[in-house]
Amino acid sequence: MPESDIDQLAKHLSKLPGLGPRSARRAVLHLLTEGRAMLQPMVQELQRLDESITTCEICRNIDTSSPCHICTDEKRDPSLLCVVEDIADLWALERNRLFQGRYHVLGGTLSAIDGRGPEQLGITQLVNRAKDEAITEVIIGTNATVEGQTTAHYIADRLHDANVKVTKLAHGIPVGGELDYLDEGTLGAALLSRQSV
Ligand SMILES: [Zn+2]
């Protein structure tokens, strides 16, 4: 039996992260029935984004202009730079309005197997920014994984001569967490990054 256009659309949608075949079919059904009013604006927005989306030449974020709206925002603190693995991490920090500085998006971690070296992560670009811009502190916000931490060490090493303070996000007890429920790695990291009170 040939696939209908509706099946095709559901198939495309099911490839998106977080959507399996079943939820993709439900989304399609919604869009074609009671959510019909959303369809046209959504198509137009997707088309517009498809035509204008670009990578920021400064921080490697994606936006409809380069430099992006964060790099050009004069209200941002020019002395702070946060290094993140992915654009989703930048969005997480932005969503919570936790950080007022600017960013560098690595686009992954160092990985010989996947062919990602310092050049692919834009690390020379990052070091040059740390030297040339008014940056006084670089916060390394890579993930608390082995790869994330190896990459953090490498970046800290490369920033050694840039005359900036290099910090990284603390690892440890989550807010509201109970010691008895923490895994050994988290508890160990919390002990190592203990602070004076
Ligand atoms: Zn930017």
Side-chain angles (χ1 to χ4, degrees), residues 7 11 18 21 23 41-42 63 71 76 95 97 110-111 117 122 126 134 151 157 160 167 171 175 177 188 191 196:
D7 289 335
K11 216 171 187 178
S23 44
M42 200 184 270
D63 204 348
C71 287
R76 294 262 166 177
R95 205 166 46 237
R97 299 180 197 284
L110 291 171
S111 166
L126 165 67
T151 306
D157 226 39
H160 196 259
T167 55
H171 302 150
V175 174
L191 195 56
S196 308

mmCIF file of all heavy atoms in Angstrom, residues 7 11 18 21 23 41-42 63 71 76 95 97 110-111 117 122 126 134 151 157 160 167 171 175 177 188 191 196:
data_model
loop_
_atom_site.group_PDB
_atom_site.id
_atom_site.type_symbol
_atom_site.label_atom_id
_atom_site.label_comp_id
_atom_site.label_asym_id
_atom_site.label_seq_id
_atom_site.Cartn_x
_atom_site.Cartn_y
_atom_site.Cartn_z
ATOM 1 N N ASP A 7 0.982 10.060 6.207
ATOM 2 C CA ASP A 7 1.979 9.114 6.749
ATOM 3 C C ASP A 7 3.395 9.672 6.579
ATOM 4 O O ASP A 7 4.235 9.552 7.453
ATOM 5 C CB ASP A 7 1.899 7.767 6.012
ATOM 6 C CG ASP A 7 0.641 7.002 6.363
ATOM 7 O OD1 ASP A 7 0.100 7.246 7.453
ATOM 8 O OD2 ASP A 7 0.200 6.174 5.541
ATOM 9 N N LYS A 11 6.109 10.529 9.411
ATOM 10 C CA LYS A 11 7.427 9.889 9.366
ATOM 11 C C LYS A 11 8.537 10.926 9.551
ATOM 12 O O LYS A 11 9.498 10.717 10.293
ATOM 13 C CB LYS A 11 7.584 9.186 8.016
ATOM 14 C CG LYS A 11 8.356 7.903 8.096
ATOM 15 C CD LYS A 11 8.249 7.190 6.768
ATOM 16 C CE LYS A 11 8.858 5.819 6.823
ATOM 17 N NZ LYS A 11 8.694 5.135 5.540
ATOM 18 N N GLY A 18 12.647 13.496 20.803
ATOM 19 C CA GLY A 18 11.513 13.552 21.727
ATOM 20 C C GLY A 18 10.191 13.118 21.110
ATOM 21 O O GLY A 18 9.183 13.065 21.798
ATOM 22 N N PRO A 21 7.153 7.542 16.706
ATOM 23 C CA PRO A 21 6.133 7.409 15.652
ATOM 24 C C PRO A 21 4.721 7.721 16.157
ATOM 25 O O PRO A 21 3.941 8.394 15.479
ATOM 26 C CB PRO A 21 6.241 5.938 15.242
ATOM 27 C CG PRO A 21 7.565 5.482 15.706
ATOM 28 C CD PRO A 21 7.951 6.330 16.875
ATOM 29 N N SER A 23 3.714 9.610 18.890
ATOM 30 C CA SER A 23 3.467 11.023 19.200
ATOM 31 C C SER A 23 3.522 11.874 17.934
ATOM 32 O O SER A 23 2.847 12.900 17.843
ATOM 33 C CB SER A 23 4.442 11.532 20.266
ATOM 34 O OG SER A 23 5.733 11.098 20.004
ATOM 35 N N PRO A 41 0.765 29.672 9.906
ATOM 36 C CA PRO A 41 1.839 30.454 10.520
ATOM 37 C C PRO A 41 3.094 29.627 10.759
ATOM 38 O O PRO A 41 4.219 30.111 10.604
ATOM 39 C CB PRO A 41 1.237 30.900 11.869
ATOM 40 C CG PRO A 41 -0.217 30.690 11.760
ATOM 41 C CD PRO A 41 -0.475 29.707 10.682
ATOM 42 N N MET A 42 2.914 28.330 11.087
ATOM 43 C CA MET A 42 4.061 27.469 11.351
ATOM 44 C C MET A 42 4.870 27.227 10.079
ATOM 45 O O MET A 42 6.097 27.300 10.079
ATOM 46 C CB MET A 42 3.542 26.132 11.902
ATOM 47 C CG MET A 42 4.574 25.351 12.651
ATOM 48 S SD MET A 42 3.911 23.765 13.140
ATOM 49 C CE MET A 42 3.231 24.150 14.703
ATOM 50 N N ASP A 63 21.295 31.945 14.797
ATOM 51 C CA ASP A 63 20.364 33.068 14.863
ATOM 52 C C ASP A 63 20.027 33.474 13.432
ATOM 53 O O ASP A 63 20.570 32.916 12.484
ATOM 54 C CB ASP A 63 21.016 34.242 15.619
ATOM 55 C CG ASP A 63 19.965 35.179 16.234
ATOM 56 O OD1 ASP A 63 18.775 35.053 15.901
ATOM 57 O OD2 ASP A 63 20.345 36.048 17.045
ATOM 58 N N CYS A 71 25.532 38.512 20.999
ATOM 59 C CA CYS A 71 26.823 39.191 20.798
ATOM 60 C C CYS A 71 26.655 40.700 20.580
ATOM 61 O O CYS A 71 27.535 41.476 20.928
ATOM 62 C CB CYS A 71 27.564 38.573 19.622
ATOM 63 S SG CYS A 71 28.242 36.957 20.007
ATOM 64 N N ARG A 76 24.720 43.378 27.737
ATOM 65 C CA ARG A 76 25.427 42.209 28.261
ATOM 66 C C ARG A 76 26.745 42.611 28.913
ATOM 67 O O ARG A 76 27.368 43.585 28.499
ATOM 68 C CB ARG A 76 25.740 41.253 27.113
ATOM 69 C CG ARG A 76 24.517 40.661 26.486
ATOM 70 C CD ARG A 76 24.289 39.305 27.060
ATOM 71 N NE ARG A 76 22.969 38.820 26.747
ATOM 72 C CZ ARG A 76 22.528 37.616 27.098
ATOM 73 N NH1 ARG A 76 23.296 36.795 27.761
ATOM 74 N NH2 ARG A 76 21.326 37.234 26.802
ATOM 75 N N ARG A 95 17.158 30.713 29.000
ATOM 76 C CA ARG A 95 15.783 30.502 29.422
ATOM 77 C C ARG A 95 15.604 30.888 30.885
ATOM 78 O O ARG A 95 14.617 31.444 31.285
ATOM 79 C CB ARG A 95 15.455 29.018 29.243
ATOM 80 C CG ARG A 95 14.007 28.714 29.066
ATOM 81 C CD ARG A 95 13.778 27.297 28.559
ATOM 82 N NE ARG A 95 14.536 26.256 29.227
ATOM 83 C CZ ARG A 95 15.361 25.420 28.610
ATOM 84 N NH1 ARG A 95 15.562 25.524 27.317
ATOM 85 N NH2 ARG A 95 15.999 24.483 29.264
ATOM 86 N N ARG A 97 17.525 32.950 32.460
ATOM 87 C CA ARG A 97 18.111 34.290 32.679
ATOM 88 C C ARG A 97 19.150 34.270 33.793
ATOM 89 O O ARG A 97 19.188 35.138 34.662
ATOM 90 C CB ARG A 97 17.021 35.311 33.039
ATOM 91 C CG ARG A 97 15.990 35.492 31.973
ATOM 92 C CD ARG A 97 14.955 36.505 32.408
ATOM 93 N NE ARG A 97 13.749 36.413 31.611
ATOM 94 C CZ ARG A 97 13.617 36.875 30.374
ATOM 95 N NH1 ARG A 97 14.614 37.502 29.801
ATOM 96 N NH2 ARG A 97 12.498 36.734 29.713
ATOM 97 N N LEU A 110 35.920 17.334 22.643
ATOM 98 C CA LEU A 110 37.058 16.783 21.906
ATOM 99 C C LEU A 110 36.857 15.276 21.769
ATOM 100 O O LEU A 110 36.558 14.600 22.753
ATOM 101 C CB LEU A 110 38.363 17.045 22.668
ATOM 102 C CG LEU A 110 38.834 18.498 22.737
ATOM 103 C CD1 LEU A 110 40.000 18.614 23.695
ATOM 104 C CD2 LEU A 110 39.202 19.018 21.351
ATOM 105 N N SER A 111 36.994 14.770 20.572
ATOM 106 C CA SER A 111 36.832 13.333 20.366
ATOM 107 C C SER A 111 37.578 12.903 19.116
ATOM 108 O O SER A 111 37.200 13.265 17.997
ATOM 109 C CB SER A 111 35.343 12.992 20.223
ATOM 110 O OG SER A 111 35.199 11.685 19.712
ATOM 111 N N GLY A 117 38.512 17.861 16.774
ATOM 112 C CA GLY A 117 39.702 18.391 17.426
ATOM 113 C C GLY A 117 39.454 19.830 17.828
ATOM 114 O O GLY A 117 38.349 20.347 17.642
ATOM 115 N N GLY A 122 36.413 25.362 17.622
ATOM 116 C CA GLY A 122 36.669 26.812 17.584
ATOM 117 C C GLY A 122 37.489 27.303 18.763
ATOM 118 O O GLY A 122 37.304 28.439 19.221
ATOM 119 N N LEU A 126 38.178 31.060 20.413
ATOM 120 C CA LEU A 126 37.868 31.361 21.810
ATOM 121 C C LEU A 126 39.063 32.013 22.511
ATOM 122 O O LEU A 126 38.914 33.028 23.205
ATOM 123 C CB LEU A 126 37.475 30.057 22.525
ATOM 124 C CG LEU A 126 37.456 30.056 24.049
ATOM 125 C CD1 LEU A 126 36.344 30.949 24.585
ATOM 126 C CD2 LEU A 126 37.276 28.628 24.580
ATOM 127 N N ALA A 134 37.236 42.503 26.030
ATOM 128 C CA ALA A 134 37.382 42.989 27.411
ATOM 129 C C ALA A 134 37.032 41.907 28.442
ATOM 130 O O ALA A 134 36.552 42.194 29.526
ATOM 131 C CB ALA A 134 36.482 44.202 27.600
ATOM 132 N N THR A 151 37.626 18.060 27.924
ATOM 133 C CA THR A 151 37.595 19.245 27.069
ATOM 134 C C THR A 151 37.811 20.506 27.921
ATOM 135 O O THR A 151 38.548 21.416 27.510
ATOM 136 C CB THR A 151 36.244 19.312 26.313
ATOM 137 O OG1 THR A 151 36.055 18.067 25.637
ATOM 138 C CG2 THR A 151 36.217 20.438 25.312
ATOM 139 N N ASP A 157 43.861 24.926 29.807
ATOM 140 C CA ASP A 157 45.272 24.916 29.444
ATOM 141 C C ASP A 157 45.577 25.942 28.347
ATOM 142 O O ASP A 157 46.529 26.712 28.440
ATOM 143 C CB ASP A 157 45.585 23.514 28.914
ATOM 144 C CG ASP A 157 46.864 22.985 29.498
ATOM 145 O OD1 ASP A 157 47.079 23.233 30.698
ATOM 146 O OD2 ASP A 157 47.622 22.343 28.742
ATOM 147 N N HIS A 160 45.682 29.598 29.354
ATOM 148 C CA HIS A 160 46.666 29.911 30.380
ATOM 149 C C HIS A 160 47.334 31.276 30.182
ATOM 150 O O HIS A 160 47.538 32.029 31.129
ATOM 151 C CB HIS A 160 47.719 28.797 30.421
ATOM 152 C CG HIS A 160 48.531 28.821 31.661
ATOM 153 N ND1 HIS A 160 49.807 29.348 31.697
ATOM 154 C CD2 HIS A 160 48.232 28.428 32.916
ATOM 155 C CE1 HIS A 160 50.261 29.273 32.935
ATOM 156 N NE2 HIS A 160 49.327 28.715 33.694
ATOM 157 N N THR A 167 37.248 29.732 35.270
ATOM 158 C CA THR A 167 36.489 29.004 36.295
ATOM 159 C C THR A 167 35.654 27.930 35.607
ATOM 160 O O THR A 167 35.509 27.933 34.396
ATOM 161 C CB THR A 167 35.542 29.951 37.059
ATOM 162 O OG1 THR A 167 34.703 30.616 36.114
ATOM 163 C CG2 THR A 167 36.291 30.976 37.872
ATOM 164 N N HIS A 171 30.348 21.058 40.618
ATOM 165 C CA HIS A 171 29.620 19.792 40.590
ATOM 166 C C HIS A 171 29.275 19.430 42.017
ATOM 167 O O HIS A 171 30.050 19.678 42.921
ATOM 168 C CB HIS A 171 30.493 18.656 40.032
ATOM 169 C CG HIS A 171 30.997 18.931 38.680
ATOM 170 N ND1 HIS A 171 32.186 18.448 38.216
ATOM 171 C CD2 HIS A 171 30.468 19.674 37.684
ATOM 172 C CE1 HIS A 171 32.359 18.854 36.977
ATOM 173 N NE2 HIS A 171 31.341 19.609 36.641
ATOM 174 N N VAL A 175 20.165 21.138 44.277
ATOM 175 C CA VAL A 175 19.341 21.882 45.230
ATOM 176 C C VAL A 175 18.186 20.979 45.683
ATOM 177 O O VAL A 175 17.512 20.371 44.863
ATOM 178 C CB VAL A 175 18.805 23.177 44.571
ATOM 179 C CG1 VAL A 175 17.839 23.890 45.490
ATOM 180 C CG2 VAL A 175 19.968 24.075 44.195
ATOM 181 N N GLY A 177 18.666 18.211 47.274
ATOM 182 C CA GLY A 177 19.132 16.821 47.261
ATOM 183 C C GLY A 177 19.486 16.296 48.648
ATOM 184 O O GLY A 177 19.880 17.064 49.522
ATOM 185 N N GLY A 188 31.383 12.505 45.809
ATOM 186 C CA GLY A 188 32.835 12.772 45.777
ATOM 187 C C GLY A 188 33.120 14.158 45.217
ATOM 188 O O GLY A 188 33.938 14.911 45.750
ATOM 189 N N LEU A 191 32.263 16.844 47.711
ATOM 190 C CA LEU A 191 33.275 16.923 48.771
ATOM 191 C C LEU A 191 34.497 17.706 48.280
ATOM 192 O O LEU A 191 35.018 18.566 48.972
ATOM 193 C CB LEU A 191 33.650 15.496 49.191
ATOM 194 C CG LEU A 191 34.404 15.331 50.502
ATOM 195 C CD1 LEU A 191 33.635 15.958 51.668
ATOM 196 C CD2 LEU A 191 34.646 13.848 50.780
ATOM 197 N N SER A 196 33.844 27.387 51.919
ATOM 198 C CA SER A 196 33.775 27.938 53.281
ATOM 199 C C SER A 196 32.383 28.506 53.496
ATOM 200 O O SER A 196 31.774 29.038 52.551
ATOM 201 C CB SER A 196 34.768 29.086 53.451
ATOM 202 O OG SER A 196 36.038 28.670 53.047
#
